[in-house]
Amino acid sequence: MIPAGQIPADDTAAADLYNLSVHRYRVNKTWETFPAAVKPLHREGAKSRIYDLGQLTVVARNAKAAKEAAKKSEKAFEEEIPVISRDTQILDPGAKDPTLKKDKNGKPVELEAGDLLDRDEAYAALPEERRPSWSTWLRMIAPPSGGAKTVGPLPTVILGGSIRLWSYKALLTWNADRTELHPTGHGYGRPKGTPESTPRAPRADKVERSERTRQLLAERPAITAEELAADLGVSVRTADRYLAEAKNDA
């Protein structure tokens, strides 16, 4: 998790600070030389590396100063590395599916609106009552292809062309507005009991049949559903419903 206010640095940004190509940075595994004070912002187990730009900037300057001082057999002055006050590892390492850590009181990690989350962290941050299955979530956020649309939230930030991150605020906004999905990925439609924003107009054929039913009922009060069905060209069950509606309206 990238705490709100921290500027993320991927391999490209880190390599630039060390005046290295991305390839050389990775071959050298330069990140293994970072002091213990440098805390990774990426979750444990993530394939991509993300660090705080402020921390790496100081670390790179210190490394350069130490190299120059060594040439003169001197000891370089080291700048103090900024501290990241919040824990960036927010997932429970023992959970089967991504789940937020809980404190000693059983409450999950509190997140801020500007926090940036990767796919696992974003899933865990969704309210449990509105959280899809893990496999459904992966389908929902999959990059669109072949003209398909992404039904999940759009990434807030994309680092290095492939590291997708969602802000906690954007995630909650999307979650509040989204339509529930069936495990197959298809929408359920409006939640039960939710009124339509614009009432639908009655179908023309239904209006005509209702008017015809009222007309026949006025002319022949004893008309049966079978007789009405033959006149309207509908099933007896449908005709019976038209009769009931016409009698209730009378």
Side-chain angles (χ1 to χ4, degrees):
M1 181 267 290
I2 302 174
Q6 308 296 147
I7 301 176
D10 56 13
D11 282 0
T12 300
D16 284 344
L17 291 172
Y18 279 83
N19 294 318
L20 298 172
S21 67
V22 175
H23 174 72
R24 180 53 55 188
Y25 173 82
R26 290 171 177 168
V27 169
N28 292 349
K29 295 185 178 180
T30 307
W31 57 87
E32 293 184 352
T33 67
F34 296 162
V38 175
K39 302 298 182 182
L41 303 184
H42 55 269
R43 62 179 166 79
E44 294 181 3
K47 295 181 179 180
S48 302
R49 289 168 294 277
I50 307 174
Y51 292 92
D52 176 64
L53 182 62
Q55 285 194 329
L56 290 195
T57 299
V58 172
V59 169
R61 280 202 298 259
N62 285 344
K64 183 178 180 180
K67 186 175 181 180
E68 293 298 323
K71 294 178 182 178
K72 304 175 184 178
S73 299
E74 297 176 353
K75 182 176 178 59
F77 168 77
E78 289 192 356
E79 294 182 49
E80 185 176 353
I81 300 174
V83 176
I84 298 175
S85 59
R86 296 172 61 202
D87 186 2
T88 62
Q89 303 303 314
I90 63 173
L91 296 185
D92 179 354
K96 179 181 178 182
D97 290 334
T99 305
L100 293 180
K101 283 181 181 177
K102 293 182 179 179
D103 60 22
K104 60 182 180 181
N105 296 318
K107 293 184 178 180
V109 173
E110 291 188 8
L111 299 173
E112 297 182 5
D115 291 341
L116 292 176
L117 314 170
D118 71 5
R119 66 168 198 181
D120 293 45
E121 296 161 341
Y123 175 79
L126 288 172
E128 189 172 356
E129 67 276 8
R130 293 269 288 168
R131 189 182 303 154
S133 68
W134 173 240
S135 58
T136 297
W137 170 251
L138 294 181
R139 287 197 299 271
M140 291 171 71
I141 63 171
S145 61
K149 295 182 179 179
T150 300
V151 296
L154 295 176
T156 305
V157 176
I158 300 179
L159 299 177
S162 61
I163 307 174
R164 296 177 299 156
L165 302 169
W166 292 264
S167 76
Y168 184 51
K169 179 180 179 180
L171 186 69
L172 291 184
T173 299
W174 167 82
N175 182 61
D177 297 337
R178 74 185 175 93
T179 299
E180 285 285 359
L181 291 183
H182 188 272
T184 60
H186 300 292
Y188 280 118
R190 288 179 293 110
K192 185 177 181 180
T194 303
E196 294 180 329
S197 57
T198 303
R200 299 181 188 181
R203 286 169 38 187
D205 57 344
K206 183 176 181 180
V207 173
E208 292 176 0
R209 288 170 183 164
S210 295
E211 292 178 350
R212 177 61 176 164
T213 299
R214 284 193 288 270
Q215 178 186 352
L216 291 175
L217 189 61
E219 296 173 355
R220 299 159 53 193
I223 189 173
T224 65
E226 289 78 6
E227 292 170 334
L228 179 62
D231 187 282
L232 298 180
V234 298
S235 68
V236 174
R237 184 176 179 179
T238 299
D240 192 50
R241 187 169 65 249
Y242 279 116
L243 271 176
E245 291 175 352
K247 289 177 181 179
N248 286 335
D249 293 341

